[in-house]
Structure formats: C-alpha cells, structure tokens
Coordinates of all heavy atoms in Angstrom, one line a residue:
M255 N 149.2 86.4 8.1 CA 149.1 86.1 6.7 C 150.5 85.9 6.2 O 151.4 86.6 6.4 CB 148.5 87.2 6.0 CG 148.4 87.1 4.6 SD 147.4 88.4 3.9 CE 148.3 88.8 2.4
L256 N 150.7 84.8 5.5 CA 152.1 84.5 4.9 C 152.2 85.2 3.6 O 151.3 85.2 2.8 CB 152.3 83.0 4.8 CG 152.4 82.1 6.0 CD1 152.5 80.7 5.7 CD2 153.6 82.7 6.9
T257 N 153.4 85.7 3.3 CA 153.7 86.5 2.1 C 155.0 85.9 1.5 O 155.9 85.5 2.3 CB 153.9 88.0 2.5 OG1 152.8 88.4 3.2 CG2 154.1 88.8 1.2
D258 N 155.2 86.0 0.2 CA 156.4 85.6 -0.4 C 157.5 86.5 0.0 O 157.4 87.8 -0.1 CB 156.3 85.6 -1.9 CG 155.3 84.5 -2.4 OD1 155.3 83.4 -1.7 OD2 154.8 84.6 -3.5
S259 N 158.6 85.9 0.4 CA 159.8 86.7 0.8 C 160.7 87.0 -0.4 O 160.8 86.2 -1.3 CB 160.6 85.9 1.8 OG 161.8 86.5 2.1
P260 N 161.2 88.3 -0.5 CA 162.2 88.5 -1.5 C 163.5 87.7 -1.3 O 164.3 87.6 -2.3 CB 162.5 90.0 -1.4 CG 162.1 90.3 0.0 CD 161.0 89.3 0.5
Y261 N 163.7 87.1 -0.2 CA 164.8 86.2 0.1 C 164.6 84.8 -0.2 O 165.4 83.9 0.2 CB 165.4 86.5 1.5 CG 165.7 88.0 1.7 CD1 164.8 88.8 2.4 CD2 166.8 88.5 1.1 CE1 165.1 90.1 2.6 CE2 167.1 89.9 1.3 CZ 166.3 90.6 2.0 OH 166.5 92.0 2.2
G262 N 163.4 84.4 -0.7 CA 163.0 83.0 -0.9 C 162.2 82.5 0.2 O 162.3 82.9 1.4
G263 N 161.2 81.7 -0.1 CA 160.3 81.2 0.9 C 159.2 82.1 1.3 O 158.9 83.0 0.6
E264 N 158.6 81.8 2.4 CA 157.5 82.6 2.9 C 157.8 83.2 4.3 O 158.6 82.6 5.1 CB 156.2 81.8 3.0 CG 155.6 81.4 1.7 CD 154.4 80.6 1.8 OE1 154.1 80.0 2.8 OE2 153.6 80.6 0.8
Y265 N 157.2 84.3 4.6 CA 157.3 84.8 6.0 C 156.0 85.4 6.5 O 155.2 85.7 5.6 CB 158.5 85.8 6.1 CG 158.2 87.1 5.4 CD1 157.8 88.2 6.1 CD2 158.4 87.3 4.1 CE1 157.6 89.4 5.6 CE2 158.1 88.5 3.4 CZ 157.8 89.6 4.2 OH 157.5 90.8 3.6
D266 N 156.0 85.6 7.8 CA 154.8 86.3 8.4 C 154.9 87.8 8.2 O 156.1 88.3 8.4 CB 154.7 85.9 9.8 CG 153.4 86.2 10.4 OD1 152.5 86.9 9.8 OD2 153.0 85.8 11.5
D267 N 153.8 88.5 8.0 CA 153.9 90.0 7.8 C 154.3 90.7 9.2 O 154.6 91.9 9.1 CB 152.6 90.6 7.4 CG 152.3 90.3 5.9 OD1 153.2 89.8 5.3 OD2 151.2 90.4 5.5
C268 N 154.2 90.1 10.3 CA 154.5 90.7 11.5 C 155.9 91.1 11.7 O 156.8 90.3 11.4 CB 154.1 89.7 12.7 SG 154.4 90.4 14.3
E269 N 156.2 92.3 12.1 CA 157.6 92.8 12.2 C 157.8 93.2 13.7 O 157.1 94.0 14.2 CB 157.8 94.0 11.3 CG 157.8 93.6 9.9 CD 158.2 94.8 9.0 OE1 158.6 95.8 9.5 OE2 158.2 94.6 7.8
V270 N 158.7 92.6 14.3 CA 159.1 92.8 15.8 C 160.5 93.2 15.8 O 161.4 92.6 15.3 CB 158.8 91.6 16.6 CG1 159.2 91.8 18.0 CG2 157.4 91.1 16.5
E271 N 160.8 94.3 16.5 CA 162.2 94.9 16.7 C 162.3 95.4 18.1 O 161.4 96.0 18.7 CB 162.5 96.0 15.8 CG 162.8 95.6 14.4 CD 163.4 96.7 13.6 OE1 163.2 97.9 13.9 OE2 163.9 96.4 12.6
A272 N 163.5 95.2 18.7 CA 163.8 95.7 20.0 C 165.3 96.0 20.0 O 166.0 95.1 19.5 CB 163.4 94.8 21.1
G273 N 165.8 97.0 20.6 CA 167.2 97.2 20.7 C 167.5 98.7 21.1 O 166.6 99.4 21.6
I274 N 168.7 99.0 20.8 CA 169.2 100.4 21.2 C 169.8 101.0 19.9 O 170.3 100.4 19.1 CB 170.2 100.4 22.3 CG1 171.5 99.6 21.9 CG2 169.7 99.9 23.6 CD1 172.6 99.7 22.9
S275 N 169.7 102.3 19.9 CA 170.3 103.1 18.8 C 171.3 104.1 19.5 O 171.0 104.8 20.4 CB 169.2 104.0 18.1 OG 168.3 103.1 17.4
L276 N 172.5 104.1 19.0 CA 173.5 104.9 19.6 C 173.4 106.3 18.9 O 173.0 106.4 17.8 CB 174.9 104.3 19.2 CG 175.1 102.8 19.7 CD1 176.5 102.4 19.3 CD2 174.9 102.8 21.3
G277 N 173.8 107.3 19.8 CA 173.7 108.6 19.2 C 174.5 109.6 20.1 O 175.0 109.2 21.1
I278 N 174.4 110.9 19.7 CA 175.0 112.0 20.3 C 174.0 113.2 20.5 O 173.1 113.3 19.7 CB 176.3 112.5 19.7 CG1 176.0 112.9 18.3 CG2 177.4 111.4 19.7 CD1 177.2 113.6 17.5
S279 N 174.3 114.0 21.4 CA 173.6 115.2 21.5 C 174.5 116.4 21.8 O 175.5 116.3 22.5 CB 172.6 115.1 22.8 OG 171.9 116.3 23.0
Y280 N 174.2 117.5 21.2 CA 175.0 118.7 21.3 C 174.2 119.9 21.8 O 173.2 120.2 21.1 CB 175.7 119.0 20.0 CG 176.6 120.2 20.0 CD1 177.8 120.2 20.6 CD2 176.2 121.5 19.5 CE1 178.6 121.3 20.8 CE2 177.0 122.6 19.6 CZ 178.3 122.5 20.2 OH 179.1 123.6 20.3
S281 N 174.6 120.4 22.9 CA 173.8 121.6 23.5 C 174.2 122.9 22.8 O 175.4 123.3 22.9 CB 174.0 121.6 25.0 OG 173.3 122.6 25.6
L282 N 173.2 123.6 22.2 CA 173.5 124.9 21.6 C 173.3 126.0 22.6 O 174.0 127.1 22.5 CB 172.6 125.1 20.4 CG 172.8 124.1 19.3 CD1 171.7 124.3 18.2 CD2 174.1 124.3 18.6
S283 N 172.4 125.7 23.6 CA 172.1 126.7 24.7 C 171.5 125.9 25.8 O 171.4 124.7 25.7 CB 171.2 127.8 24.2 OG 169.9 127.3 24.0
H284 N 171.1 126.6 26.9 CA 170.4 125.9 27.9 C 169.1 125.3 27.5 O 168.5 124.4 28.2 CB 170.2 126.9 29.1 CG 171.4 127.3 29.8 ND1 172.4 126.4 30.3 CD2 172.0 128.5 30.0 CE1 173.3 127.0 30.8 NE2 173.2 128.4 30.7
H285 N 168.5 125.8 26.4 CA 167.2 125.3 26.0 C 167.1 124.6 24.7 O 166.1 124.0 24.3 CB 166.2 126.5 25.9 CG 166.0 127.2 27.2 ND1 165.2 126.7 28.2 CD2 166.5 128.4 27.7 CE1 165.2 127.5 29.2 NE2 166.0 128.6 29.0
L286 N 168.2 124.5 23.9 CA 168.2 124.0 22.6 C 169.4 123.0 22.4 O 170.5 123.2 22.7 CB 168.4 125.1 21.6 CG 168.1 124.8 20.2 CD1 166.7 124.3 19.9 CD2 168.4 126.0 19.3
N287 N 169.0 121.8 21.9 CA 169.9 120.7 21.7 C 169.7 120.2 20.3 O 168.7 120.1 19.8 CB 169.7 119.5 22.7 CG 169.9 119.9 24.1 OD1 170.8 120.6 24.4 ND2 169.2 119.3 25.0
L288 N 170.8 119.7 19.6 CA 170.8 119.0 18.4 C 171.1 117.6 18.7 O 171.9 117.2 19.6 CB 171.9 119.5 17.4 CG 171.7 120.8 16.9 CD1 172.9 121.2 16.0 CD2 170.5 121.0 16.1
M289 N 170.4 116.6 18.1 CA 170.5 115.2 18.4 C 170.7 114.4 17.1 O 170.2 114.8 16.1 CB 169.3 114.7 19.1 CG 169.0 115.4 20.4 SD 167.6 114.8 21.3 CE 166.3 115.0 20.1
L290 N 171.6 113.3 17.2 CA 171.8 112.5 16.1 C 171.9 111.0 16.5 O 172.5 110.8 17.5 CB 173.2 112.9 15.4 CG 173.7 111.9 14.3 CD1 172.9 112.2 13.0 CD2 175.1 112.2 14.1
R291 N 171.1 110.2 15.9 CA 171.1 108.7 16.2 C 171.3 108.0 15.0 O 170.8 108.4 13.9 CB 169.7 108.3 16.8 CG 169.7 108.7 18.3 CD 168.4 108.0 18.9 NE 167.7 109.0 19.6 CZ 166.4 108.8 20.0 NH1 165.8 107.7 19.7 NH2 165.8 109.8 20.5
Y292 N 172.0 106.8 15.0 CA 172.3 106.1 13.8 C 172.3 104.6 14.0 O 171.3 104.0 13.7 CB 173.6 106.6 13.2 CG 173.9 105.9 11.9 CD1 173.0 105.9 10.9 CD2 175.2 105.4 11.6 CE1 173.2 105.3 9.7 CE2 175.4 104.8 10.4 CZ 174.5 104.7 9.4 OH 174.8 104.1 8.3
L293 N 173.3 104.0 14.5 CA 173.5 102.6 14.5 C 172.4 101.9 15.4 O 172.3 102.3 16.5 CB 174.8 102.3 15.0 CG 175.3 100.9 15.0 CD1 175.4 100.4 13.6 CD2 176.7 100.8 15.7
H294 N 171.8 100.8 14.9 CA 170.8 100.1 15.7 C 171.4 98.7 16.0 O 171.9 98.0 15.1 CB 169.5 99.8 14.9 CG 168.5 99.1 15.6 ND1 167.7 99.6 16.6 CD2 168.2 97.7 15.5 CE1 166.9 98.6 17.0 NE2 167.2 97.5 16.3
I295 N 171.4 98.3 17.3 CA 171.9 97.1 17.7 C 170.7 96.4 18.4 O 170.2 97.0 19.4 CB 173.1 97.2 18.7 CG1 174.2 98.0 18.0 CG2 173.6 95.9 19.2 CD1 175.3 98.4 18.9
G296 N 170.3 95.2 18.0 CA 169.2 94.5 18.7 C 168.7 93.3 18.0 O 169.3 92.7 17.2
Y297 N 167.4 93.1 18.3 CA 166.7 91.9 17.9 C 165.7 92.3 16.8 O 165.0 93.4 16.9 CB 166.0 91.3 19.1 CG 165.0 90.2 18.7 CD1 165.5 88.9 18.6 CD2 163.7 90.4 18.4 CE1 164.6 87.8 18.2 CE2 162.8 89.4 18.1 CZ 163.2 88.1 18.0 OH 162.4 87.1 17.7
S298 N 165.6 91.6 15.7 CA 164.7 92.0 14.7 C 164.1 90.7 14.0 O 164.9 89.8 13.7 CB 165.3 92.9 13.7 OG 164.4 93.1 12.6
E299 N 162.8 90.6 13.7 CA 162.3 89.6 12.9 C 161.8 90.2 11.6 O 161.1 89.5 10.9 CB 161.1 89.0 13.7 CG 161.5 88.1 14.8 CD 160.3 87.3 15.4 OE1 159.2 87.5 15.1 OE2 160.6 86.5 16.3
S300 N 162.2 91.4 11.3 CA 161.8 92.1 10.0 C 162.7 91.8 8.9 O 163.9 92.0 9.0 CB 161.7 93.6 10.3 OG 161.5 94.2 9.1
L301 N 162.2 91.2 7.8 CA 163.0 91.0 6.6 C 163.4 92.3 6.0 O 164.4 92.4 5.3 CB 162.4 90.1 5.7 CG 162.2 88.6 6.1 CD1 161.4 87.9 5.0 CD2 163.6 88.0 6.3
R302 N 162.6 93.4 6.2 CA 162.9 94.7 5.6 C 164.2 95.2 6.2 O 164.9 95.8 5.5 CB 161.7 95.6 6.0 CG 162.0 97.1 5.6 CD 160.9 98.0 6.2 NE 160.7 97.8 7.6 CZ 161.5 98.4 8.6 NH1 162.5 99.1 8.3 NH2 161.2 98.2 9.9
A303 N 164.5 94.9 7.5 CA 165.8 95.4 8.1 C 166.9 94.7 7.6 O 168.1 95.1 7.8 CB 165.6 95.2 9.6
H304 N 166.8 93.5 7.0 CA 167.9 92.7 6.6 C 168.4 93.0 5.1 O 168.6 92.1 4.4 CB 167.6 91.2 6.8 CG 167.3 90.9 8.2 ND1 168.2 90.9 9.1 CD2 166.1 90.7 8.7 CE1 167.6 90.6 10.3 NE2 166.4 90.5 10.1
G305 N 168.4 94.2 4.8 CA 168.8 94.7 3.5 C 170.3 95.1 3.5 O 171.1 94.5 4.1
N306 N 170.5 96.2 2.9 CA 171.9 96.8 2.8 C 172.4 97.2 4.2 O 171.6 97.6 5.0 CB 171.9 97.9 1.9 CG 171.5 97.6 0.5 OD1 171.7 96.4 0.1 ND2 170.9 98.5 -0.2
A307 N 173.7 97.1 4.5 CA 174.4 97.5 5.6 C 173.8 96.9 6.9 O 173.7 97.6 7.9 CB 174.4 99.0 5.7
C308 N 173.4 95.7 6.9 CA 172.9 95.0 8.1 C 173.7 93.7 8.2 O 173.7 92.9 7.4 CB 171.4 94.7 7.9 SG 170.6 94.0 9.4
W309 N 174.3 93.5 9.4 CA 175.0 92.3 9.7 C 174.3 91.5 10.8 O 173.8 92.0 11.7 CB 176.4 92.7 10.2 CG 177.2 93.4 9.2 CD1 177.9 92.9 8.1 CD2 177.3 94.9 9.1 NE1 178.4 93.9 7.4 CE2 178.1 95.1 7.9 CE3 176.8 95.9 9.8 CZ2 178.4 96.4 7.5 CZ3 177.1 97.2 9.4 CH2 177.9 97.4 8.3
G310 N 174.3 90.2 10.6 CA 173.7 89.3 11.6 C 172.7 88.4 10.9 O 172.4 88.5 9.8
D311 N 172.3 87.4 11.7 CA 171.3 86.5 11.2 C 169.9 87.1 11.3 O 169.8 88.4 11.5 CB 171.3 85.2 11.9 CG 171.1 85.3 13.5 OD1 170.6 86.4 13.8 OD2 171.2 84.3 14.2
H312 N 168.8 86.4 11.2 CA 167.5 87.0 11.2 C 167.0 87.2 12.6 O 165.8 87.5 12.7 CB 166.6 86.1 10.4 CG 167.0 86.2 8.9 ND1 166.6 87.2 8.1 CD2 167.6 85.3 8.1 CE1 167.0 87.0 6.9 NE2 167.6 85.9 6.9
K313 N 167.8 87.2 13.6 CA 167.3 87.5 15.0 C 168.1 88.7 15.5 O 167.6 89.8 15.8 CB 167.4 86.3 15.8 CG 166.6 85.2 15.4 CD 165.1 85.5 15.5 CE 164.3 84.3 15.0 NZ 163.0 84.7 14.6
F314 N 169.5 88.5 15.8 CA 170.3 89.5 16.4 C 171.0 90.3 15.2 O 171.6 89.7 14.4 CB 171.3 89.0 17.3 CG 172.1 90.1 18.0 CD1 171.6 90.8 19.1 CD2 173.4 90.4 17.6 CE1 172.4 91.8 19.6 CE2 174.2 91.3 18.1 CZ 173.7 92.1 19.1
I315 N 170.9 91.6 15.2 CA 171.4 92.5 14.1 C 172.3 93.6 14.6 O 172.0 94.1 15.7 CB 170.3 92.9 13.1 CG1 169.3 93.9 13.8 CG2 169.6 91.8 12.5 CD1 168.4 94.6 12.9
L316 N 173.1 94.1 13.6 CA 173.8 95.4 13.8 C 173.4 96.1 12.5 O 173.9 95.7 11.4 CB 175.3 95.1 13.9 CG 176.1 96.3 13.9 CD1 175.9 97.2 15.1 CD2 177.6 95.9 13.8
D317 N 172.5 97.1 12.5 CA 172.0 97.7 11.3 C 172.6 99.1 11.2 O 172.3 100.0 12.0 CB 170.5 97.8 11.4 CG 169.8 98.2 10.1 OD1 170.6 98.6 9.2 OD2 168.6 98.1 10.1
A318 N 173.4 99.4 10.1 CA 173.9 100.7 9.8 C 173.3 101.2 8.5 O 173.9 102.1 7.9 CB 175.4 100.6 9.7
N319 N 172.1 100.8 8.2 CA 171.4 101.3 7.0 C 171.0 102.8 7.2 O 170.8 103.3 8.2 CB 170.2 100.5 6.8 CG 169.6 100.6 5.4 OD1 169.9 101.6 4.7 ND2 168.9 99.6 4.9
I320 N 171.1 103.5 6.1 CA 170.7 105.0 6.1 C 169.3 105.3 6.6 O 169.0 106.3 7.2 CB 171.0 105.6 4.7 CG1 171.0 107.2 4.8 CG2 170.0 105.1 3.7 CD1 172.1 107.8 5.5
S321 N 168.5 104.3 6.5 CA 167.1 104.4 7.0 C 167.1 104.6 8.5 O 166.0 105.0 9.1 CB 166.2 103.3 6.6 OG 166.5 102.1 7.1
R322 N 168.2 104.2 9.2 CA 168.2 104.3 10.7 C 168.6 105.7 11.2 O 168.6 106.0 12.3 CB 169.2 103.3 11.3 CG 168.8 101.9 11.1 CD 167.6 101.5 12.0 NE 167.3 100.1 11.8 CZ 166.4 99.5 12.5 NH1 165.7 100.2 13.3 NH2 166.1 98.3 12.3
L323 N 169.1 106.5 10.3 CA 169.6 107.8 10.6 C 168.5 108.7 11.1 O 167.4 108.9 10.5 CB 170.3 108.5 9.4 CG 170.7 109.9 9.6 CD1 171.9 109.9 10.6 CD2 171.3 110.5 8.3
Q324 N 168.6 109.3 12.3 CA 167.7 110.2 12.9 C 168.4 111.5 13.3 O 169.3 111.5 14.0 CB 167.0 109.6 14.1 CG 166.2 108.4 13.8 CD 165.7 107.7 15.1 OE1 165.8 108.3 16.2 NE2 165.1 106.6 15.0
I325 N 167.9 112.6 12.8 CA 168.4 113.9 13.2 C 167.3 114.8 13.8 O 166.1 114.7 13.3 CB 169.0 114.7 11.9 CG1 170.0 113.8 11.3 CG2 169.4 116.1 12.3 CD1 170.5 114.4 9.9
G326 N 167.6 115.4 15.0 CA 166.5 116.1 15.6 C 166.9 117.4 16.4 O 168.1 117.5 16.6
V327 N 166.0 118.2 16.7 CA 166.2 119.4 17.4 C 165.3 119.2 18.7 O 164.1 118.9 18.6 CB 165.9 120.6 16.7 CG1 166.0 121.9 17.5 CG2 166.7 120.7 15.4
Q328 N 165.9 119.5 19.9 CA 165.1 119.5 21.1 C 165.1 120.8 21.7 O 166.2 121.4 21.9 CB 165.7 118.5 22.0 CG 165.0 118.3 23.4 CD 165.7 117.3 24.3 OE1 166.9 117.3 24.4 NE2 164.9 116.6 25.0
Y329 N 163.9 121.3 22.1 CA 163.7 122.6 22.8 C 163.1 122.3 24.1 O 162.1 121.7 24.2 CB 162.9 123.6 22.0 CG 162.8 125.0 22.7 CD1 163.8 125.8 22.6 CD2 161.7 125.2 23.5 CE1 163.8 127.1 23.2 CE2 161.6 126.5 24.1 CZ 162.7 127.4 24.0 OH 162.6 128.6 24.6
I330 N 163.8 122.8 25.2 CA 163.3 122.5 26.5 C 162.8 123.8 27.1 O 163.5 124.8 27.1 CB 164.5 122.0 27.4 CG1 165.0 120.7 26.8 CG2 164.0 121.8 28.8 CD1 166.3 120.3 27.5
F331 N 161.6 123.8 27.6 CA 160.9 125.0 28.1 C 161.5 125.4 29.5 O 161.8 124.6 30.3 CB 159.4 124.9 28.2 CG 158.7 124.7 26.9 CD1 158.5 123.5 26.3 CD2 158.4 125.8 26.2 CE1 157.8 123.4 25.2 CE2 157.8 125.8 25.0 CZ 157.5 124.5 24.5

C-alpha cells in the first residue's frame, strides 16, 4: 500500500533493515553483565529511520538516533 511520505512523494509501508549495532559489555561478576548498544550501520528502506542524527542516502545509513540506544542486563545461569 502506498502512503504519503513526510519527505514528499509516496512510499511503500514495507520497512526493511539489515546491519550491525556497535556496543560494549561490562562484566560485573561471572554471571552478570551490563550491555550497551548504540550506533547502527547498515542498509535501510525505512523512512522512519531517516530522521534526526541519520547520515546517508535512503539505502546505506549511519544512524546515531537516540531510538537506537539499547541498555541491557544479562544473567548467565
């Protein structure tokens, strides 16, 4: 289904993304880790991703938007 784009014209609702997110992990103990991921580098056909803090054309992007921030805790049994 074609939808009006906020950037002008029409686009397909389908959103396809592939890429890597850079991050770090800090071990608190043998069983507990803190994780942080942020910067996304990859391919995107999503117009949603092409907002603030996103560099590149509408295919290959470098996305540093705050919506890419992931903070996690990992517990290993």
Side-chain angles (χ1 to χ4, degrees):
M255 180 172 137
L256 292 177
T257 307
D258 289 332
S259 168
Y261 303 102
E264 294 181 335
Y265 72 99
D266 193 350
D267 287 349
C268 181
E269 295 187 1
V270 176
E271 284 190 341
I274 60 171
S275 292
L276 303 178
I278 60 171
S279 176
Y280 180 74
S281 180
L282 298 174
S283 70
H284 291 303
H285 298 285
L286 190 62
N287 295 326
L288 291 177
M289 299 180 302
L290 174 73
R291 282 192 230 164
Y292 183 48
L293 186 66
H294 178 79
I295 302 169
Y297 172 86
S298 176
E299 287 188 355
S300 169
L301 289 178
R302 175 188 51 82
H304 301 287
N306 302 327
C308 184
W309 298 276
D311 62 10
H312 291 283
K313 299 295 180 197
F314 182 78
I315 63 168
L316 176 65
D317 190 354
N319 199 333
I320 192 70
S321 66
R322 295 288 184 180
L323 179 63
Q324 298 176 3
I325 300 172
V327 176
Q328 179 183 39
Y329 183 78
I330 303 170
F331 293 96

